[in-house]
Amino acid sequence: MTSSVASLGAPPRLIRNTVWNIAGQVAPLLVAVLTLPLLIRTVGFERFGFISLVWVLVGYASVFDFGISRALVRTVSVRLARGDSVGAHASAQAGLFFLTLFGLVVGAALALSGDWLVVSVLHVPAELQSEAQPAMWLLAASLPFVMLTTGYSGALSAYQRFRELNLIRIAMGVAGYLGPLLVALWINRLEVIVAFVLVTRVVGTLAHAWASRRYCGFSSRLVLPEPAASRELFSLGGWIAVSNVISPLLSYLDRLLLAALVPMREVAFYATPFDIVSKLMILPYSIINALFPMASAVVPGSTQARRMLSDSIRLLFVLMFPVVFAVVVLARPGMNAWLGPEFALHATPVVQVLAIGILFNALAQGPAMMVQAAGRPAWMATLHLLELPLFIVILWWLTERYGIVGTAFASAGRNAIDALAVLLLGWRGVAKGSLAWRGAMLPSFFAMALLAAALWPSTWMQALLVLLAGLAGFSLYAWTCILQSTERSRLLTLAREAL
């Protein structure tokens, strides 16, 4: 992008890192789409439910890391930007030590409560309890490796070794979905399947440790952390931990509340569109993860900070709006063709409203990245704490009054409010500049007009006509009014090189 060479980094590096981040998420997802139906048929619904729980616990183990893994990325990135490689190694080693410690504590707690969880909380059928109880102990044994892997991933991200990080992530993701299927075809027992998960986590940790030693230059041997590095990690990580707990709750609360307020069949009409639409965040997350180490080295209040914040918002808008527009346009005929007329009748408005909410969520990622990269996680944590009770009240009221469409509006509305609040925090608190409201009004009105038109089509022919006309109009507007002249020149150069 532009002058973005100073702010967003050299475009080839940013593009390359983003592509690797996308590949690291999409490749395992494709394997999951192919293997999950076979796995469900092989193990049955009860065993698959337990395996799904294992994946959730492994995937969200970072909730218990007190924000250390994210704080590690920030502190290591800042020290590398200052040329302090010794300090960067000290911060990384401190993070790895505490993550291992937390993994041992959480793993021990899970092992001690495993039998109680299996019988009294998860209500595993009696015929599967003999498999589930040793499986819980094996899952507990994997948690230290899961935690340690997040530390190594953070170090590789700080050193911007996204290629190596995502090659390992792809291999682990593919093994995580394909492996249980192959094991179940051989021995269809939960403890054997979870044992394979444990082996995968150990191998993954060793692979991350090897990559960190080779490409980041620090020893994989755990050492006692330096007091200064520990204090810095915990001062940042404590507030990040609050966000790590509240943010997933905000994301999952709508589906949890639906189960209590509407018939179970309507939950499916909401949960399926939500799962589809949420996958759109792969692109912004991939971009932001590539930008975060660069943003950590930017001085708050500088011209570079203002330029990076502005460029990240424009980049996300230009990339995400066409995707969201296409989803809104194609929702009705697409759902009808995929899941049938009845499902489309209920789910189409949910898809459309949630997709618009995803656009707000995507635009919030740039300012949120700048706030965390500036070492201000307390701002984000406080915002999430303020949002939670307000969201619960609005979600409950709209769901009771309007059903699943009301739930979708509550979710999208929270994303919109969150985006505006984070934008204020980013501009006034980090970039320390004035908000260009007038400059944002015309793109906002243009986007709203296109999205309003996207709600109309009901047949494939109508949808395709609106889609082509809308994308052509947005492309012309983005080229002439959103992109800067240096960005247009850069894109033309890249196009000529590609040809």
Side-chain angles (χ1 to χ4, degrees):
M1 306 263 317
T2 143
S3 46
S4 355
V5 173
S7 57
L8 295 185
R13 168 183 273 193
L14 175 60
I15 294 171
R16 184 170 58 251
N17 290 344
T18 301
V19 169
W20 276 112
N21 285 338
I22 293 173
Q25 296 183 68
V26 170
L29 181 62
L30 294 176
V31 175
V33 170
L34 295 174
T35 59
L36 286 184
L38 296 174
L39 181 61
I40 293 171
R41 285 200 294 269
T42 302
V43 303
F45 285 107
E46 288 80 9
R47 285 191 178 90
F48 181 73
F50 188 89
I51 295 169
S52 300
L53 174 66
V54 170
W55 286 333
V56 169
L57 287 174
V58 169
Y60 286 93
S62 60
V63 168
F64 304 105
D65 75 353
F66 294 94
I68 294 297
S69 57
R70 191 66 167 174
L72 185 153
V73 179
R74 199 260 172 185
T75 55
V76 173
S77 298
V78 169
R79 279 165 170 68
L80 289 175
R82 296 172 182 167
D84 181 13
S85 59
V86 174
H89 288 186
S91 293
Q93 293 288 6
L96 292 171
F97 176 85
F98 287 114
L99 287 168
T100 304
L101 181 62
F102 297 153
L104 289 170
V105 172
V106 175
L110 182 61
L112 291 173
S113 60
D115 292 351
W116 172 72
L117 289 171
V118 166
V119 176
S120 303
V121 177
L122 302 178
H123 303 293
V124 174
E127 63 272 17
L128 292 181
Q129 288 180 9
S130 62
E131 301 177 28
Q133 287 168 339
M136 288 294 285
W137 301 333
L138 290 167
L139 176 60
S142 73
L143 289 184
F145 299 99
V146 173
M147 291 287 205
L148 190 53
T149 297
T150 64
Y152 285 125
S153 297
L156 289 166
S157 296
Y159 279 80
Q160 300 191 47
R161 307 302 307 198
F162 290 99
R163 175 178 177 271
E164 292 75 17
L165 175 60
N166 282 287
L167 284 174
I168 299 172
R169 184 175 291 163
I170 290 170
M172 291 182 62
V174 170
Y177 286 112
L178 185 59
L181 173 61
L182 297 178
V183 171
L185 291 171
W186 175 44
I187 303 178
N188 189 7
R189 290 184 62 86
L190 287 175
E191 71 268 38
V192 179
I193 295 172
V194 177
F196 178 83
V197 173
L198 171 58
V199 172
T200 302
R201 301 313 302 188
V202 173
V203 172
T205 301
L206 294 175
H208 281 87
W210 173 84
S212 298
R213 183 171 63 251
R214 175 167 182 176
Y215 297 107
C216 306
F218 59 83
S219 171
S220 57
R221 181 173 55 88
L222 293 179
V223 297
L224 288 175
E226 296 179 1
S230 302
R231 284 193 298 271
E232 184 176 21
L233 284 173
F234 278 101
S235 65
L236 288 172
W239 285 109
I240 294 175
V242 175
S243 287
N244 282 353
V245 172
I246 301 297
S247 188
L249 181 59
L250 287 168
S251 298
Y252 286 95
L253 193 59
D254 49 1
R255 281 157 291 172
L256 295 174
L257 188 60
L258 267 181
L261 296 178
V262 302
M264 188 56 65
R265 66 193 303 270
E266 291 193 38
V267 176
F269 294 145
Y270 182 89
T272 302
F274 188 96
D275 289 338
I276 296 169
V277 170
S278 63
K279 297 300 186 290
L280 300 180
M281 289 300 295
I282 288 177
L283 178 58
Y285 286 154
S286 299
I287 294 172
I288 292 306
N289 286 337
L291 281 175
F292 186 78
M294 304 178 196
S296 297
V298 171
V299 178
S302 64
T303 301
Q304 192 178 17
R306 289 189 288 274
R307 186 181 300 145
M308 176 173 273
L309 181 54
S310 173
D311 285 352
S312 65
I313 295 172
R314 288 188 304 108
L315 174 66
L316 290 168
F317 179 66
V318 169
L319 291 176
M320 284 300 295
F321 180 83
V323 178
V324 169
F325 178 74
V327 170
V328 175
V329 171
L330 300 175
R332 192 177 305 278
M335 295 297 291
N336 186 69
W338 184 36
L339 297 172
E342 182 185 4
F343 204 101
L345 177 66
H346 294 88
T348 293
V350 174
V351 171
Q352 293 172 327
V353 173
L354 289 177
I356 295 172
I358 285 292
L359 179 60
F360 286 110
N361 193 10
L363 296 179
Q365 298 308 308
M369 169 199 68
M370 297 296 293
V371 170
Q372 289 207 348
R376 304 291 185 182
W379 296 356
M380 295 298 299
T382 303
L383 176 61
H384 288 152
L385 286 171
L386 293 173
E387 285 180 3
L388 182 59
L390 179 63
F391 181 50
I392 291 174
V393 172
I394 295 175
L395 179 63
W396 191 291
W397 180 71
L398 287 177
T399 300
E400 280 199 324
R401 194 172 183 86
Y402 302 105
I404 59 175
V405 177
T407 309
F409 270 105
S411 179
R414 186 194 71 81
N415 285 339
I417 293 171
D418 182 79
L420 290 173
V422 173
L423 181 62
L424 282 169
L425 292 175
W427 270 113
R428 303 306 295 271
V430 179
K432 301 187 186 302
S434 57
L435 285 167
W437 293 112
R438 293 183 179 179
M441 287 179 65
L442 186 57
S444 300
F445 284 132
F446 186 75
M448 286 190 291
L450 285 179
L451 289 173
L455 300 174
W456 164 68
S458 58
T459 66
W460 278 110
M461 182 60 68
Q462 293 171 347
L464 291 175
L465 288 174
V466 172
L467 179 64
L468 293 174
L471 291 179
F474 179 78
S475 299
L476 179 62
Y477 178 77
W479 183 263
T480 57
C481 301
I482 299 178
L483 297 179
Q484 299 174 358
S485 59
T486 50
E487 294 171 337
R488 292 194 291 269
S489 299
R490 176 66 184 172
L491 288 173
L492 289 173
T493 301
L494 291 173
R496 285 194 294 268
E497 291 174 354
L499 295 174

